[in-house]
Amino acid sequence: KNEVEQSPQNLTAQEGEFITINCSYSVGISALHWLQQHPGGGIVSLFMLSSGKKKHGRLIATINIQEKHSSLHITASHPRDSAVYICAAGGLIQGAQKLVFGQGTRLTINP
Amino acid sequence: DAGVTQSPTHLIKTRGQQVTLRCSPISGHKSVSWYQQVLGQGPQFIFQYYEKEERGRGNFPDRFSARQFPNYSSELNVNALLLGDSALYLCASSLDISYEQYFGPGTRLTVT
């Protein structure tokens, strides 16, 4: 079993739909990261959170430390949101911040 | 302000050769981390450097090495390349070890 599990692995939706991507982790963390990766490889950091909820535009990230679970929500989805979304569990281990990545969720938003 | 930059963008090498990848962090960032992303998988942690010292190392063979310079830029070296080293190599910088990491565009290495 992977230390960080995401679901679903693939998600296709219509423009305007509300999107939820889930992340469960089994490692101890200091922060949970949500990242966006477009074709070609570039990764953009969306959120870094250690508790509660954060919102940026149409994106919302929540985390439940007790249940070791985080969700990324996209409201009013748009085709430009199509990308791979990756969650990564960050922990300070022996003096280094190590990120353990999930396998990613490939999101496709159709117009 | 410039983000994290990496060079080269693409690289093709043959088995057994050696390669050096370069990363320049965001100005003011003192920590640099390296990740390997094989096609279809999530990134894997290779190294973290802070203030020119190695702070962490992932589960990679000794063929992989890195260093950080006084200006906080970093190089990742891979010796005796194998076909399995073909991947996207990502560099990320952060202000300090526990701060949010900002990723560069990556270097795509192909080993033939």
Side-chain angles (χ1 to χ4, degrees), chain A residues 19-95:
Chain A
I19 302 299
T20 296
I21 299 171
N22 295 300
C23 175
S24 297
Y25 54 92
S26 57
V27 294
I29 68 166
S30 55
L32 193 289
H33 303 250
W34 281 102
L35 311 164
Q36 181 192 56
Q37 186 169 34
H38 282 279
I43 288 182
V44 174
S45 178
L46 300 174
F47 295 103
M48 173 179 163
L49 66 164
S50 54
S51 65
K53 175 180 174 179
K54 285 190 176 181
K55 184 176 189 292
H56 185 256
R58 296 180 294 107
L59 273 60
I60 303 166
T62 63
I63 188 168
N64 184 317
I65 298 292
Q66 287 74 28
E67 295 186 4
K68 294 190 173 182
H69 181 271
S70 177
S71 293
L72 176 68
H73 305 285
I74 305 175
T75 63
S77 59
H78 190 275
R80 65 174 173 265
D81 297 326
S82 298
V84 175
Y85 291 84
I86 304 172
C87 75
L92 206 58
I93 303 170
Q94 295 177 327

